[in-house]
Amino acid sequence: MLLKGQNRGMELLQRAIALNRIAPAYLFSGPDGVGRRLAAQTFASLILALDSDKLVVNCNHPDLLWIEPTYLHQGKLFTLKQALAESISRKTAPQIRIEQIRQIAEFLGRPPLVSPRYVVVIEGAHQMTEASANALLKTLEEPGLATLILIANSDARLLSTLVSRCQRIPFYRLTELELIEVLQEQGYSAIVSQPEIISLAQGSPGRAIALSEQLDQIPPELLTQLKSPPDQILSVFTLAKEVSQTLDTEAQILLIDYLQLYYWRSLPNPEIAAIWEKARQSLQYFVTPRLVWECTLLTVFEINYN
């Protein structure tokens, strides 16, 4: 099991497989996009193949249950992928819900079909509701033939009683050199030539790829116009209208992060950097997007031409 920048965690997992000493529960803790999901997928497959010559690295094994945060819509649960496919409004953050923890209990209530044990992966474990976390404790106290893998951004966002029952596998941000190597190896060399994305990724290849894909959704002409301070008052209001009508709030916040860094590289002015930060906070507090962009671009115009 090889993951660049994650030597310590991979050594712990490889030793567990080599010695066939699998802990009842693991906590893969660290930032998004650095390999936690891939590590869980591979480790789960290795566990399920301990007594078999067949290794299947996917989520379709009958003795593997993969849980991820969901949105509640009209009484039904939808993962992020399902919500996007169904164009379901996502006004609140997804959660690991009590119904999903009950699903785990039901899954573990039958004998394994193929392997000598089960594996349950809970992705986004830090997004468990309090009721879900308390229910999961009961399973962790008596896991039986199961191995549970919790994937979380931070130990601090989980109940301490949950953390104490898991063997922690740490995941770290990659160095910039490691980040670039991973992107090149995975066929994303074009991202390497975009220093703003590399900086915003903060050592996460997954985040770099996601940022690049999100920025590609922004009309190129609009992005080009925003990369330079407005040179006319009229263009301020035209740009503000186009951004607010073309992009959703999440995309607008990403755009602000990108522009803040881009402007700092080309015009290292603390005042302008503070303006972009204020715009970001305003959008997060649900201020009318068009008004946010009008005020921001107007202020940038005034600073640049005064």
Side-chain angles (χ1 to χ4, degrees):
M1 193 185 309
L2 296 176
L3 277 177
K4 197 176 294 292
Q6 312 300 341
N7 294 343
R8 180 184 173 192
M10 297 309 96
E11 288 174 3
L12 292 171
L13 297 178
Q14 287 171 341
R15 188 180 306 124
I17 292 294
L19 299 176
N20 196 6
R21 297 181 62 179
I22 312 298
Y26 291 86
L27 171 58
F28 288 13
S29 178
D32 290 336
V34 297
R36 298 168 310 162
R37 192 180 197 280
L38 177 59
Q41 193 173 21
T42 305
F43 187 52
S45 294
L46 290 171
I47 293 173
L48 294 171
L50 278 173
D51 295 330
S52 169
D53 295 330
K54 186 177 182 181
L55 177 63
V56 181
V57 186
N58 58 42
C59 298
N60 298 321
H61 195 287
D63 298 320
L64 171 64
L65 177 63
W66 198 289
I67 299 290
E68 56 187 288
T70 56
Y71 299 91
L72 180 61
H73 179 71
Q74 296 181 348
K76 297 182 179 180
L77 301 183
F78 294 83
T79 64
L80 174 59
K81 184 177 180 180
Q82 292 168 339
L84 290 173
E86 298 291 333
S87 299
I88 293 172
S89 176
R90 297 171 285 119
K91 295 182 180 180
T92 59
Q95 296 178 329
I96 301 291
R97 304 172 190 276
I98 187 67
E99 296 91 333
Q100 295 174 282
I101 304 303
R102 290 172 181 156
Q103 181 186 359
I104 295 174
E106 292 175 4
F107 178 74
L108 300 181
R110 62 161 176 80
L113 297 177
V114 178
S115 300
R117 62 189 300 114
Y118 313 93
V119 177
V120 175
V121 180
I122 303 178
E123 189 171 3
H126 54 280
Q127 293 173 275
M128 271 190 282
T129 64
E130 184 176 353
S132 300
N134 288 325
L136 183 62
L137 274 174
K138 297 178 181 179
T139 301
L140 289 179
E141 288 170 357
E142 297 181 6
L145 297 174
T147 293
L148 282 78
I149 302 172
L150 280 63
I151 303 176
N153 290 347
S154 169
D155 300 9
R157 299 183 63 183
L158 290 170
L159 289 179
S160 59
T161 44
L162 281 179
V163 175
S164 67
R165 285 170 169 77
C166 300
Q167 180 176 340
R168 185 176 182 276
I169 305 297
F171 285 77
Y172 303 100
R173 297 186 184 279
L174 278 61
T175 65
E176 185 169 311
L177 178 59
E178 290 171 336
L179 171 62
I180 289 172
E181 288 176 351
V182 170
L183 291 173
Q184 290 174 331
E185 290 168 1
Q186 294 185 2
Y188 293 96
S189 298
I191 299 177
V192 175
S193 62
Q194 303 179 63
E196 290 78 21
I197 292 181
I198 296 298
S199 295
L200 287 171
Q202 297 180 328
S204 167
R207 177 169 167 77
I209 295 168
L211 288 169
S212 178
E213 291 174 346
Q214 288 174 300
L215 285 170
D216 284 345
Q217 301 302 312
I218 298 174
E221 303 81 5
L222 178 59
L223 189 58
T224 299
Q225 288 179 294
L226 289 167
K227 283 183 175 180
S228 299
D231 56 3
Q232 298 179 8
I233 293 292
L234 180 60
S235 63
V236 167
F237 297 101
T238 301
L239 279 173
K241 179 180 179 180
E242 186 173 357
V243 171
S244 60
Q245 291 183 346
T246 304
L247 308 176
D248 60 26
T249 302
E250 186 176 343
Q252 291 179 43
I253 291 174
L254 166 62
L255 179 57
I256 284 173
D257 289 340
Y258 178 86
L259 291 173
Q260 184 180 33
L261 185 56
Y262 182 86
Y263 270 77
W264 181 256
R265 289 177 179 272
S266 57
L267 299 169
N269 184 330
E271 191 174 358
I272 292 180
I275 291 167
W276 288 116
E277 182 59 31
K278 182 179 180 181
R280 187 181 196 279
Q281 293 174 359
S282 297
L283 286 179
Q284 289 178 321
Y285 282 102
F286 306 107
V287 177
T288 304
R290 183 168 176 177
L291 178 61
V292 171
W293 284 96
E294 287 178 349
C295 293
T296 300
L297 293 173
L298 186 59
T299 307
V300 171
F301 169 82
E302 292 174 345
I303 292 174
N304 196 59
Y305 289 98
N306 282 344

